[in-house]
Amino acid sequence: MPPRISPPSKAITSILRCKRSSSLRLRQYATIVAAPQVSYAQLNRTAPPTAKFPKTQPPSYKPPEFRKSQLLRQYASLLRSTPLMLVFQHNNLKSVEWTGIRRELNKALRKVDETRAKAGHVEGNVGEGVKIQIIQTGIFISALKIVEFYKPETNKSPSDPTDPASPSSATVPELTHTLSEAAHQATMKKTHALMPLLVGPLAVLTFPTVSPQHLKAALSILSPIPGQFPAPSRKANPGYHDLPVQTGLQKLLLLGARVEGQVFDIEGTKWVGSIEGGVDGLRGQLVNMLQSLGAGLTSTLEGSAKSLYFTVEGRRTMLEDEAKGGSGGAPKES
C-alpha cells in the first residue's frame, strides 16, 4: 500500500500563499525600479547601418557569403595585379588534357627561367607565377568593368562608420569596395573593348610581369605557329606530343590579350611575344630609335645652319667684289 500522506492544514496553505504573493510583488517593484527612463528621441534613434557589421566585412550590395561574390572579388584582384593576361576559349577539356597542358607549360616556362638565370637576370622565377585557370564569363565581365571604370575617391572619412563606438549622428559615407552598391551602379551600363571576346567558356593565362620571353614560350605550347612560335619537336620534348596534350590543344583557341590595361588582338599578342630580348630588347630598340632621331635632328639643324652660313658668306664676298670693282673702275680727279 502506498504511504498515507496527510494533506496540509489550512493555516500552512494560507502562509504559503502570503509568501508567494509578497515575493511576486517585490519582484514587480524591483523590475519597475530597475527600468531606465528612455525618451522618445532615444527610442526613434537608430544606429548607422554599418555599425552592426565588423570592419573586415562592411555591408555589400551582393551577399558576400555567396560563391559568386567571392569569385567577383577574386577576379577583380586578379585583374588589378596582372599586367599581362591571355584569353583562351576552351571546349570541354578533360581533366587529363588539362593536366598534360599544364605540365608542358610549366616545363617550357622553367626552361626560360633557367636561361635567364644563366644570363644574369635577377628577376627570379617568373614562370612560377604564370597560371592558367577557367573563369566564369559573366562574373569576369563584371569584375573587368569594376576594375576599369570604377575609380572611387581615396579620401576616407575620419569617423569610421563600421566602428560600433562611432556616434550614431555621424555621417555614413558611401561604401566603395568591390561588392558595394556604388560599384554596381557605376558599371552597370558600361562596355569594355575586351567584352566582344568574352563569349562562351573561357580560360585565362596570367603573368606576374610583362615578359615577352615567357609569353613566347607559352604561345609555343598553347598556340604554336610554324616559324614564329614553333612547337617543340618530338625528339626534344616527347611528352608534348602525347595524345591527351594534342587533343586538349585542339580545343584551345587564342582570342586576345590584355597588356597593361590595353586590349590586343591576336596579331598584337604575337607582336608582344616576338620582341627580341624581352623587355630589355624593347628598351634597347627604344634607345636606338631615340638616338637615331636625335642624330637626324642634329644633322638637319647643322645642314640648315651650314646652308645659311654659306649663303651669307657668298653674298658678303659678292658685295666685297662689287665694291672693289666699282672703286677701281672710277676715274681719278685731277
Side-chain angles (χ1 to χ4, degrees):
M1 292 181 63
R4 296 181 178 179
I5 301 175
S6 59
S9 61
K10 294 181 179 181
I12 297 175
T13 305
S14 60
I15 292 172
L16 293 175
R17 287 178 179 177
C18 291
K19 289 184 176 181
R20 187 179 302 170
S21 61
S22 60
S23 61
L24 291 175
R25 196 176 296 110
L26 290 174
R27 189 181 304 170
Q28 184 179 3
Y29 292 157
T31 305
I32 294 174
V33 172
Q37 294 181 358
V38 182
S39 62
Y40 179 77
Q42 291 177 349
L43 289 175
N44 292 334
R45 187 179 64 182
T46 57
T50 57
K52 59 183 178 179
F53 294 92
K55 294 182 179 181
T56 57
Q57 185 179 332
S60 304
Y61 177 76
K62 299 180 180 180
E65 64 272 9
F66 289 169
R67 182 176 180 269
K68 292 183 178 181
S69 301
Q70 297 302 323
L71 283 177
L72 179 63
R73 296 178 61 187
Q74 177 184 350
Y75 293 158
S77 176
L78 184 66
L79 288 167
R80 292 189 181 102
S81 60
T82 302
L84 176 58
M85 175 184 295
L86 300 185
V87 182
F88 291 88
Q89 189 177 40
H90 67 89
N91 184 15
N92 298 327
L93 271 77
K94 300 179 181 178
S95 59
V96 180
E97 297 169 350
W98 276 119
T99 302
I101 291 174
R102 287 191 174 96
R103 182 191 68 238
E104 299 303 322
L105 180 62
N106 294 333
K107 189 186 299 183
L109 295 174
R110 197 179 304 115
K111 289 182 180 179
V112 177
D113 288 336
E114 293 175 356
T115 305
R116 290 171 60 87
K118 292 179 181 179
H121 294 276
V122 295
E123 289 83 356
N125 297 328
V126 180
E128 295 181 357
V130 179
K131 304 295 181 183
I132 185 171
Q133 58 179 332
I134 300 174
I135 59 173
Q136 298 289 336
T137 306
I139 303 176
F140 187 81
I141 292 175
S142 300
L144 178 64
K145 292 192 294 184
I146 289 175
V147 171
E148 293 292 338
F149 301 114
Y150 182 56
K151 307 297 181 182
E153 297 180 357
T154 56
N155 297 331
K156 296 183 179 180
S157 176
S159 60
D160 190 357
T162 61
D163 189 2
S166 61
S168 58
S169 59
T171 303
V172 180
E174 185 181 17
L175 298 174
T176 58
H177 56 92
T178 304
L179 298 179
S180 63
E181 184 177 1
H184 174 76
Q185 296 296 334
T187 60
M188 184 169 52
K189 298 182 180 180
K190 298 289 185 178
T191 56
H192 193 266
L194 193 62
M195 290 177 60
L197 302 179
L198 303 179
V199 179
L202 300 177
V204 293
L205 179 68
T206 57
F207 295 78
T209 59
V210 180
S211 176
Q213 295 176 346
H214 290 84
L215 177 58
K216 181 178 181 180
L219 290 177
S220 64
I221 297 296
L222 301 178
S223 182
I225 300 176
Q228 189 174 9
F229 304 107
S233 61
R234 185 181 296 274
K235 182 178 181 181
N237 189 2
Y240 177 78
H241 296 273
D242 292 344
L243 182 60
V245 177
Q246 294 298 318
T247 306
L249 291 176
Q250 293 176 3
K251 301 177 183 179
L252 278 180
L253 177 62
L254 177 63
L255 300 179
R258 178 178 179 268
V259 184
E260 295 291 349
Q262 302 296 325
V263 179
F264 284 73
D265 58 359
I266 298 178
E267 296 299 328
T269 306
K270 295 177 182 178
W271 173 78
V272 175
S274 61
I275 297 175
E276 295 294 336
V279 178
D280 296 335
L282 184 61
R283 292 171 182 170
Q285 295 178 11
L286 180 60
V287 171
N288 293 333
M289 183 180 65
L290 293 177
Q291 289 178 352
S292 61
L293 180 62
L297 181 61
T298 303
S299 61
T300 302
L301 294 176
E302 288 180 353
S304 300
K306 289 179 180 179
S307 176
L308 180 61
Y309 172 76
F310 291 145
T311 303
V312 172
E313 286 294 324
R315 182 61 178 170
R316 185 177 63 83
T317 305
M318 184 184 302
L319 292 175
E320 290 178 353
D321 293 341
E322 290 178 356
K324 290 179 180 179
S327 61
K332 296 182 179 179
E333 296 181 359
S334 57

